[in-house]
């Protein structure tokens, strides 16, 4: 092998090595920022990591919203009508948050099985089910349309009862 070819080979190997290192470091940095989605069924089965930021979603279970009158602490249950997930949140809830509505919570699953939410996202339509929840239900063998009908029924019943929304507090 001539010295010129040897030099080109070392330059190419060096560039390939630097590229591999750059890609590896980028993937390592992104790994910590990925928020994976889990449904209450998947969390109950133990598929969700503990004390790592994840997203969980479902419907706010009727009769489970408990607000602390002294602070902004709120506890509620998110359900996919198969399993339930206890959530606690400290902060101001979205105006569209209420029982029977679809929510996605971002936070960490604690060792005691409760979910500490850092962020709560809500939708206004009682027929809405987050796409991730619908997909997770399909994978678990359940049909999301059945749960959407149940959520619509709960929403109508709550409207008829005059249950206050989060914005009414």
């Amino acid at each position: 092998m001539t010295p010129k070819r040897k030099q080109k080979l070392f330059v190419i190997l060096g560039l390939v090595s630097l590229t591999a290192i750059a890609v590896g470091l980028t993937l390592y940095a992104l790994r910590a920022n990925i928020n994976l989605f889990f449904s209450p069924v998947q969390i109950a089965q133990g598929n969700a990591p503990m004390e790592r930021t994840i997203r969980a979603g479902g419907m706010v279970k009727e009769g489970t919203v408990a607000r602390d009158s002294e602070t902004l602490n709120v506890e509620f249950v998110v359900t996919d009508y198969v399993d339930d997930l206890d959530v606690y949140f400290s902060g101001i809830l979205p105006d569209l948050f209420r029982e029977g509505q679809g929510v996605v919570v971002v936070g960490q699953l604690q060792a005691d099985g409760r979910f500490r939410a850092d962020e709560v996202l809500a939708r206004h339509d009682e027929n809405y089910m987050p796409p991730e929840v619908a997909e997770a239900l399909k994978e678990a063998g359940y049909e999301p349309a059945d749960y959407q009908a149940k959520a619509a029924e709960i929403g109508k019943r709550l409207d008829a009862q005059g249950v206050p929304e989060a914005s009414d507090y």
Side-chain angles (χ1 to χ4, degrees), residues 77-140:
V77 174
V78 173
T79 184
D80 55 9
Y81 302 111
V82 178
D83 279 306
D84 295 340
L85 174 64
D86 293 329
V87 177
Y88 64 98
F89 174 69
S90 182
I92 298 173
L93 290 168
D95 289 339
L96 300 174
F97 177 89
R98 69 177 195 171
E99 296 175 358
Q101 298 288 21
V103 295
V104 173
V105 290
V106 179
Q108 297 178 350
L109 185 61
Q110 303 299 304
D112 63 0
R114 295 182 353 160
F115 191 88
R116 183 182 50 81
D118 299 321
E119 185 177 7
V120 176
L121 308 170
R123 287 292 296 244
H124 70 284
D125 187 4
E126 65 270 356
N127 294 321
Y128 172 77
M129 181 174 288
E132 296 94 344
V133 174
E135 188 62 34
L137 285 172
K138 283 182 185 176
E139 289 176 9

Side-chain angles (χ1 to χ4, degrees), residues 5-18:
R5 280 191 171 170
K6 195 180 271 187
Q7 183 182 10
K8 284 183 182 179
L9 178 64
F10 285 133
V11 168
I12 290 172
L13 287 176
L15 289 174
V16 168
S17 298
L18 288 174

Side-chain angles (χ1 to χ4, degrees), residues 61-64 98-100 152-165 168-169:
K61 192 170 185 179
E62 186 178 359
T64 63
R98 69 177 195 171
E99 296 175 358
E153 173 189 320
I154 291 170
K156 287 177 186 173
R157 188 169 65 241
L158 290 174
D159 286 339
Q161 293 174 354
V163 174
E165 297 184 21
D168 296 335
Y169 288 95

